[in-house]
């Protein structure tokens, strides 16, 4: 059975409440800097602080990347899958609410938007003979199979002669505009999986990433979209609010 992993910088995020309701029949793991202090106490909820899986401070001393905080969160997602008991996981970004229909084995979700070449550049440094899958899998969630993830990371380690975090960090190039190489944990896993396993399906999904600008219920939102996200720290000027409301009315992807 699937296990649900919610990754959140805010252990009391409003989106967590909705996911706890939607996934009440699943084992749920909340991973955040202060997960132990969350206000949520559901019987199926396990709380794990970030540092118990991967230490921010220790890793920062070990590797050098331009956007350390950003990459740390992505390394942490792999660590969560590796260290929590189980085989199939649905990871949900902490600002997002995801419809349970996406908790399906051997299924990767994509959104209709172009992928940034920087993600492909990094992937090709490790797997130059692989085909680059053109779909974008950065959708605020991902279904992971632990065995496939271990295979991916073991492959990286065997060719690099070092641990997978160090190996990926050395290949990241975030400042040279002529040779940008960015790490996306979702895009890398999807590319590797689809290049090697023929029984994986791709499910197009609908995403709305500014739900905090919409005066409607999550229940209604999930009738129009598969994924809703709250971006409370982004700009909220009149034009952005107007665009969000227009897109929502017509069921257009946003973000």
């Amino acid at each position: 059975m699937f296990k649900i992993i919610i990754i959140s910088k805010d252990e009391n995020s409003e989106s967590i409440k909705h996911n706890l309701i939607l996934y009440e029949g699943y084992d749920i793991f909340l991973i955040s800097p202060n997960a132990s202090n969350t206000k949520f106490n559901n019987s199926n909820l396990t709380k794990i602080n970030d540092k118990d899986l991967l230490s921010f401070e220790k890793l920062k001393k070990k590797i050098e990347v331009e956007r350390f905080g950003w990459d740390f969160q992505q390394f942490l997602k792999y660590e969560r899958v590796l260290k929590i008991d189980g085989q199939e996981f649905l990871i949900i970004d902490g600002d997002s609410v995801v419809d349970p229909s996406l908790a399906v084995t051997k299924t990767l979700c994509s959104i209709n938007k172009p992928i940034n070449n920087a993600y492909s550049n990094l992937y090709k440094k490790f797997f130059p003979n692989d085909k680059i899958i053109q779909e974008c899998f950065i959708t605020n969630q991902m279904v992971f199979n632990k065995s496939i993830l271990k295979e991916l990371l073991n492959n990286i380690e065997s060719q690099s002669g070092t641990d997978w975090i160090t190996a990926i960090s050395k290949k990241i190039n975030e400042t040279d505009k002529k040779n940008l190489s960015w790490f996306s944990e979702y895009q890398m896993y999807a590319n590797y999986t689809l290049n090697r396993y023929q029984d994986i399906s791709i499910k197009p999904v609908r995403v709305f990433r500014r739900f905090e600008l919409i005066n409607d219920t999550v229940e209604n939102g999930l009738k129009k979209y598969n994924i809703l996200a709250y971006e409370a720290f982004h700009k909220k000027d009149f034009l952005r609010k107007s665009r969000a409301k227009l897109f929502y009315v017509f069921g257009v992807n946003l973000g």
Side-chain angles (χ1 to χ4, degrees), residues 64-80:
E64 294 184 10
V65 289
E66 186 72 18
R67 302 181 298 171
F68 178 80
W70 173 267
D71 290 311
F72 173 80
Q73 288 297 317
Q74 300 186 67
F75 294 142
L76 188 56
K77 290 176 187 175
Y78 280 1
E79 281 292 310
R80 290 158 181 157

Side-chain angles (χ1 to χ4, degrees), residues 8-133:
S8 183
K9 293 181 180 179
D10 176 8
E11 69 276 6
N12 294 316
S13 174
E14 183 74 7
S15 55
I16 296 172
K17 177 184 74 174
H18 296 293
N19 285 313
L20 287 171
I21 294 171
L22 291 169
Y23 294 93
E24 62 179 352
Y26 294 79
D27 290 335
I28 301 176
F29 296 82
L30 172 61
I31 317 293
S32 75
N34 297 296
S36 58
N37 294 327
T38 182
K39 64 184 180 183
F40 302 110
N41 292 294
N42 299 52
S43 60
N44 62 330
L45 179 65
T46 300
K47 311 165 190 179
I48 305 175
N49 293 340
D50 282 359
K51 64 181 180 181
D52 294 328
L53 293 175
L54 187 66
S55 170
F56 185 95
E57 291 77 15
K58 290 181 180 179
L59 188 61
K60 191 171 179 59
K61 293 178 181 179
K62 180 181 178 181
I63 65 173
E64 294 184 10
V65 289
E66 186 72 18
R67 302 181 298 171
F68 178 80
W70 173 267
D71 290 311
F72 173 80
Q73 288 297 317
Q74 300 186 67
F75 294 142
L76 188 56
K77 290 176 187 175
Y78 280 1
E79 281 292 310
R80 290 158 181 157
V81 173
L82 295 173
K83 291 182 177 178
I84 294 175
D85 289 339
Q87 185 65 20
E88 300 285 347
F89 298 87
L90 171 62
I91 284 190
I92 299 175
D93 289 357
D95 62 355
S96 305
V97 181
V98 175
D99 190 277
S101 64
L102 301 188
V104 181
T105 59
K106 298 183 178 180
T107 301
L108 299 174
C109 296
S110 68
I111 187 171
N112 184 24
K113 63 184 294 186
I115 58 171
N116 193 308
N117 288 333
Y119 298 125
S120 302
N121 291 342
L122 180 66
Y123 185 81
K124 294 294 280 188
K125 289 180 180 180
F126 291 107
F127 305 105
N129 297 321
D130 279 10
K131 174 185 176 182
I132 293 297
I133 309 301

